[in-house]
Amino acid sequence: MDLKELGEFGLIDLIKQDCIVDASTVVLGIGDDAAAIIPTKNMLQLISTDMLMEGIHFDLSFISPFQLGYKALAVNLSDIAAMGGMPKQVVVSIALPKETKTEFIIELYRGMKELAHQFGVNIVGGDTVSSLHGIAINVTVIGEVTEKKLQKRSEAKQDDLVVVTGTLGSSAAGLALLQKGEYTTCHFYDSLVNAHLMPLPQVVIANDIANYAHSMNDISDGLASEAKEIALASGLGMRLYAEKIPLSPDLIVASQALKTSAVSYALYGGEDYQLVFTIAPEKYQLLKQCHLVNNITVIGEVTSQNGVVELVQEDQQIVQLESKGYNHFI
Ligand code: ADP
Ligand code: MG
């Protein structure tokens, strides 16, 4: 069956099942003019939105509808994580060509619901419209954070350590492998391709980090760009060390096949959805003692140079980093 036969209301009925994971915060979900939700007392409400466009952000020849749904939600939960908060509610708007198969939408929502269940997030509404060309998915997420844990970009302090979660560059290398058709022949690169197609938002670790850090960003546009944003917003600089940037063993192998340095994938590739944060050295020691925090790496320090992010390369030469992440209007 396609959308023409199912109709808008049939579609919404199909979507509606299993959308509420935590009923204690929802008075009204899907089915009225607006959702009614209950905020937690004394918490700040966070709100953020991200839109994925076919042909710009995803290519349906590489990503399955399930993975697309998962990723559309993941990138939004990552923004809430980067503020130190917990995601609570989402609304999902989709634009679909009339020929879209029902199966596609079921799979898209199955992907979203999988992640929503993992993080106790409710899908409380959305909008569905037709599109002449291609698919668009917009997710808006509402989260909560205490004022104390709120992680602003502008609060880095001189002599803070610069720390990242996980490994970087895998997603960009995964995309390059898919685009070059290198992946189908070799399942060795699963971890890189998965990092690109189904990034896990770092909500849990972010909540521990937010107890101690001064400022935090999620890494959607590449480390160089995210580090620069924190430096500029804080009126400070950073010195990062190439040899300290955590890279997965698979990335190191793949980068040779792709003839691009692994570090440049980490700096400029983007879509890792890991976190970069700054933290006082003594607080870093406390953070390391949290049992959930076992996957963080110090990659540099905050300096006094306004907006300047330097990289100490493997050959010890120092270069200034520019924000060369993906820019939609270049
Ligand atoms: P309205 O005409 O009041 O905007 P709609 O007919 O667009 O209402 O939607 C009916 C209900 O279904 C609303 O609760 C809306 O939030 C929900 N909804 C519509 N499209 C989606 C979607 N793609 N995902 C989740 N909920 C949706
Ligand atoms: Mg509507």
Side-chain angles (χ1 to χ4, degrees):
M1 204 192 298
D2 63 22
L3 273 184
K4 270 187 270 184
E5 297 160 75
L6 185 67
E8 189 185 329
F9 297 109
L11 175 75
I12 291 167
D13 271 346
L14 205 73
I15 291 171
K16 231 171 136 174
Q17 296 154 26
D18 297 325
C19 278
I20 304 301
V21 184
D22 176 8
S24 71
T25 62
V26 184
V27 175
L28 272 175
I30 291 175
D32 215 309
D33 295 313
I37 54 174
I38 307 169
T40 310
K41 221 175 153 200
N42 298 327
M43 296 286 263
L44 296 178
Q45 301 286 297
L46 299 164
I47 182 159
S48 178
T49 192
D50 255 316
M51 182 153 171
L52 301 184
M53 289 293 295
E54 184 176 357
I56 305 285
H57 299 100
F58 62 91
D59 182 334
L60 288 173
S61 48
F62 303 143
I63 194 164
S64 73
F66 176 88
Q67 291 165 332
L68 180 60
Y70 182 102
K71 186 166 179 177
L73 192 56
V75 303
N76 278 276
L77 301 195
S78 177
D79 280 322
I80 298 295
M83 301 307 292
M86 290 299 280
K88 294 285 176 183
Q89 323 287 351
V90 298
V91 290
V92 182
S93 296
I94 46 179
L96 303 166
K98 289 191 176 67
E99 307 72 44
T100 307
K101 296 276 175 241
T102 311
E103 192 55 28
F104 178 94
I105 300 152
I106 293 174
E107 280 299 293
L108 184 79
Y109 272 80
R110 201 169 65 80
M112 271 190 269
K113 286 170 190 174
E114 163 133 344
L115 200 58
H117 277 251
Q118 198 173 327
F119 290 103
V121 172
N122 302 312
I123 302 172
V124 292
D127 201 18
T128 309
V129 297
S130 61
S131 142
L132 292 181
H133 305 286
I135 291 171
I137 305 165
N138 174 243
V139 177
T140 300
V141 56
I142 295 172
E144 292 183 338
V145 65
T146 59
E147 202 164 348
K148 209 159 154 256
K149 283 177 91 166
L150 182 69
Q151 294 292 306
K152 298 181 194 162
R153 285 177 187 171
S154 55
E155 296 292 309
K157 305 276 180 280
Q158 194 168 337
D159 301 326
D160 273 0
L161 300 174
V162 180
V163 186
V164 295
T165 61
T167 59
L168 304 183
S170 296
S171 170
L175 175 62
L177 290 165
L178 289 168
Q179 286 173 334
K180 294 195 168 151
E182 299 259 346
Y183 177 59
T184 43
T185 54
C186 180
H187 275 269
F188 173 69
Y189 295 131
D190 272 359
S191 74
L192 305 178
V193 170
N194 283 343
H196 180 69
L197 297 177
M198 292 181 68
L200 183 70
Q202 300 298 305
V203 175
V204 178
I205 193 170
N207 258 267
D208 277 337
I209 295 167
N211 287 320
Y212 301 104
H214 284 141
S215 64
M216 181 150 64
N217 253 1
D218 70 326
I219 305 180
S220 50
D221 294 332
L223 175 64
S225 164
E226 307 297 346
K228 188 125 182 152
E229 274 178 7
I230 293 178
L232 283 170
S234 301
L236 292 166
M238 284 185 195
R239 186 176 304 111
L240 309 180
Y241 300 87
E243 57 196 20
K244 294 188 177 176
I245 297 173
L247 308 166
S248 83
D250 285 359
L251 172 62
I252 289 164
V253 175
S255 65
Q256 283 160 7
L258 289 162
K259 299 187 176 60
T260 304
S261 88
V263 168
S264 73
Y265 280 123
L267 289 171
Y268 304 116
E271 292 208 273
D272 284 310
Y273 298 104
Q274 294 291 341
L275 302 162
V276 53
F277 60 97
T278 82
I279 184 169
E282 63 278 11
K283 293 284 173 65
Y284 177 73
Q285 293 311 325
L286 292 176
L287 176 64
K288 283 289 272 187
Q289 288 160 18
C290 295
H291 67 285
L292 287 173
V293 182
N294 52 19
N295 201 9
I296 57 176
T297 310
V298 177
I299 58 162
E301 63 260 348
V302 175
T303 65
S304 61
Q305 288 177 284
N306 192 350
V308 177
V309 178
E310 295 173 335
L311 180 75
V312 182
Q313 299 181 145
E314 280 101 335
D315 60 8
Q316 302 308 310
Q317 280 218 39
I318 298 177
V319 292
Q320 278 194 23
L321 291 180
E322 297 309 323
S323 344
K324 274 200 292 184
Y326 189 78
N327 184 319
H328 281 265
F329 298 105
I330 290 176

